[in-house]
Amino acid sequence: MNQHTRVSQVPIPFIDLAAQRKRLGGAIDEAIARVTAHCQFILGPEVHALEAQLAAFGGARHAISCASGTDALMLVLMARGIGPGDAVICPSFTFCATAEVAVLRGATPVFADVDADTFNVNVASAKKAVATARAQGLNPKAIIVVDLFGLPADHDSIATLAAAEGLFVLDDAAQGFGATYKGRPLGSLAHATATSFFPAKPLGCYGDGGAILTDDDALAETIKSLRVHGQGTDKYDNVRIGLTGRMDTMQAAILIEKLKIFPDEILARQRVADRYGQGLAGVAIVPKLAPDCTSVWAQYTIRLLPGRRDALAEALKAEGIPTAIYYPKPLHRQTAYRQFLVADGGLAVSDRLADEVISLPMHPYLESATQDRIISAVRKACGN
Ligand SMILES: Cc1ncc(COP(=O)(O)O)c(C=O)c1O
């Protein structure tokens, strides 16, 4: 600390990966050393061990690890044969990868609106998106739902809509893996669930990584083939077109150690979220958990009246407190995506949220005193 820096200005990390690294220290080093000793860097024993543990954790028959969360989404669409002429319904208020994979497959994303309370897809709007797709001569094949910021989507209503419309449900749990919906873990709620182990995610590795969870035996087999170039039983007779989409053994070894402390970290994240909720209720709109749900709080995202968040971000920055805007533009407003369809009735909530949201530092190692500093700074900046 510079001697002129006031304690109240010591920079606070947005996500403190170093604190977790300190906690796990030796265990991670030993896990990496085991891999460098056995040298099975691709699909080594740790990959298979991790997959068994992820399947158990997510309540699915199969977990297939892969190179990233985006590959996880992509591999599922590939395995389902989704392509030109097909529509994939997805929320507009999400990270681009959710819709990107549909476009990469030659399919058409059709954007649905979200609910302001949970930030997740609004099922009535998703239903309209299905009708919009059909009216344009497209074949609605799948819906990709997102558990944004770690908050579970309304999975029962989505399942009902999907059954009525014949849609395959792919849960993009990149931000939500570890959360539960009505007592059931994400991983067990959709036909397939994709997650990301990007370092900043609640369960992150030390590079890129992802996984797919499913109960569908045939889908799991196809995905395993696709992640290795579409290989068949004979390694040099490729039976389909695939990718180099595997997870490195080193990342699997790291994730095995991180998964051991993940349940404890989820509880710590909930404690941080509760403290924010109590400290900020009344000065901002704080996120609400749907009944019978738990969140992993990938982000703690509050809402302010339009036009007020830039001043808050500036005031916090001056106190050494970082913030982030997830997301300043919904997908249907972005250059690469604005050519695609939106559900009839428009996406007013997605547009509004993009002007209102601001995310605060959130990680399991955020100490109460530091968090209180953040809460006071937000209250002060908001005139309370
Ligand atoms: C909602 C969502 N979907 C997909 C992804 C893609 O994951 P990855 O960065 O591992 O490819 C992310 C990652 O930021 C995400 O937040």
Side-chain angles (χ1 to χ4, degrees):
M1 193 196 323
N2 177 309
Q3 62 179 8
H4 300 299
T5 312
R6 282 187 290 122
V7 172
S8 64
Q9 289 173 323
V10 177
I12 293 173
F14 190 68
I15 292 177
D16 194 350
L17 292 178
Q20 187 203 49
R21 173 80 183 97
K22 208 164 144 199
R23 172 176 177 185
L24 283 169
I28 296 268
D29 296 342
E30 285 159 26
I32 293 172
R34 282 194 292 275
V35 178
T36 54
H38 68 50
C39 292
Q40 294 178 59
F41 299 118
I42 301 295
L43 296 180
E46 286 82 356
V47 172
H48 304 293
L50 174 70
E51 289 177 342
Q53 292 172 22
L54 289 174
F57 185 85
R61 278 164 62 83
H62 306 277
I64 306 115
S65 61
C66 62
S68 69
T70 307
D71 274 5
L73 295 165
M74 182 73 176
L75 285 163
V76 175
L77 296 193
M78 289 172 82
R80 293 292 300 175
I82 286 168
D86 296 335
V88 176
I89 315 302
C90 45
S92 179
F93 193 68
T94 178
F95 182 66
C96 62
T98 310
E100 184 180 36
V101 290
V103 182
L104 283 171
R105 291 297 302 152
T108 303
V110 182
F111 294 113
D113 210 359
V114 295
D115 286 324
D117 276 353
T118 62
F119 307 104
N120 285 322
V121 73
N122 174 286
V123 179
S125 177
K127 190 175 164 63
K128 286 184 188 160
V130 173
T132 305
R134 290 210 176 99
Q136 296 296 319
L138 295 166
N139 188 3
K141 281 264 184 75
I143 178 165
I144 306 184
V145 295
V146 182
D147 308 291
L148 203 71
F149 306 146
L151 299 158
D154 183 2
H155 287 279
D156 279 351
S157 306
I158 290 155
T160 306
L161 172 73
E165 301 287 355
L167 300 174
F168 180 88
V169 184
L170 171 53
D171 184 13
D172 179 348
Q175 300 183 14
F177 189 64
T180 60
Y181 174 86
K182 300 188 180 172
R184 291 175 284 152
L186 299 195
S188 66
L189 299 161
H191 296 115
T193 301
T195 193
S196 163
F197 302 121
F198 182 79
K201 296 288 188 254
L203 179 62
C205 56
Y206 284 179
D208 281 309
I212 299 124
L213 283 81
T214 184
D215 281 343
D216 183 330
D217 299 346
L219 187 74
E221 278 314 302
T222 306
I223 290 170
K224 279 186 196 159
S225 158
L226 284 168
R227 78 172 167 181
V228 192
H229 301 289
Q231 76 177 16
T233 40
D234 174 343
K235 177 169 169 187
Y236 291 109
D237 180 27
N238 293 296
V239 295
R240 49 178 71 81
I241 304 298
L243 306 170
T244 311
R246 301 161 298 227
M247 172 183 283
D248 295 346
T249 309
M250 202 86 85
Q251 299 301 345
I254 290 164
L255 281 166
I256 287 172
E257 298 310 315
K258 289 209 181 190
L259 191 55
K260 289 179 189 162
I261 60 163
F262 191 39
D264 178 57
E265 290 186 334
I266 294 171
L267 295 176
R269 285 175 176 277
Q270 184 58 49
R271 282 195 294 275
V272 172
D274 288 341
R275 199 174 188 92
Y276 270 141
Q278 283 149 20
L280 296 176
V283 293
I285 302 175
V286 296
K288 266 199 230 81
L289 259 179
D292 299 330
C293 289
T294 61
S295 173
V296 284
W297 302 105
Q299 304 295 341
Y300 193 86
T301 302
I302 60 172
R303 291 161 52 205
L304 298 175
L305 290 175
R308 295 194 56 188
R309 73 171 172 207
D310 288 352
L312 174 63
E314 278 306 307
L316 295 187
K317 195 172 163 199
E319 302 277 337
I321 301 169
T323 55
I325 310 292
Y326 301 117
Y327 296 94
K329 266 189 189 187
L331 292 182
H332 72 285
R333 301 279 176 209
Q334 295 190 16
T335 309
Y337 294 94
R338 64 169 75 107
Q339 61 181 300
F340 299 110
L341 298 171
V342 301
D344 269 0
L347 310 183
V349 179
S350 300
D351 281 330
R352 180 155 56 84
L353 288 177
D355 289 336
E356 294 180 350
V357 289
I358 180 163
S359 303
L360 302 175
M362 163 53 84
H363 59 85
Y365 304 96
L366 188 57
E367 285 168 4
S368 304
T370 310
Q371 201 185 351
D372 289 345
R373 211 181 109 196
I374 301 168
I375 291 170
S376 319
V378 174
R379 295 191 72 92
K380 193 171 101 195
C382 292
N384 275 264

